[in-house]
Amino acid sequence: MNTAADTSVEVRVETATQLEDQLNAAIQHLQPQATRSGHGILVTRLNPGHFTISVSDEVPFGLTRERSH
């Protein structure tokens, strides 16, 4: 898991178990920043096993949304 500032995290995984664990960890890491900014969290699938998770003004506060790129 790579972190960019405190508003975005990049996750690369090889297994479904890793995916769930890493995505949950990234979301938990970003929740304080999302709360401070009043935004939600966006999970973007870039490729199989490659995701970015970010605090996003496109997502209402308190929600987490997923999209494929």
Side-chain angles (χ1 to χ4, degrees):
M1 179 169 59
N2 296 324
T3 304
D6 278 329
T7 60
S8 181
V9 176
E10 182 177 347
V11 171
R12 291 179 187 259
V13 297
E14 294 182 14
T15 69
T17 301
Q18 288 176 333
L19 175 61
E20 183 175 343
D21 292 344
Q22 291 295 315
L23 289 180
N24 286 336
I27 290 167
Q28 287 180 348
H29 174 78
L30 292 174
Q31 281 179 334
Q33 177 61 23
T35 298
R36 282 191 295 274
S37 68
H39 299 311
I41 296 176
L42 180 63
V43 178
T44 304
R45 179 178 178 227
L46 303 171
N47 293 301
H50 185 197
F51 298 81
T52 58
I53 301 85
S54 58
V55 175
S56 174
D57 60 0
E58 298 175 26
V59 180
F61 176 72
L63 297 179
T64 299
R65 292 214 174 128
E66 298 178 29
R67 76 172 172 200
S68 293
H69 191 263

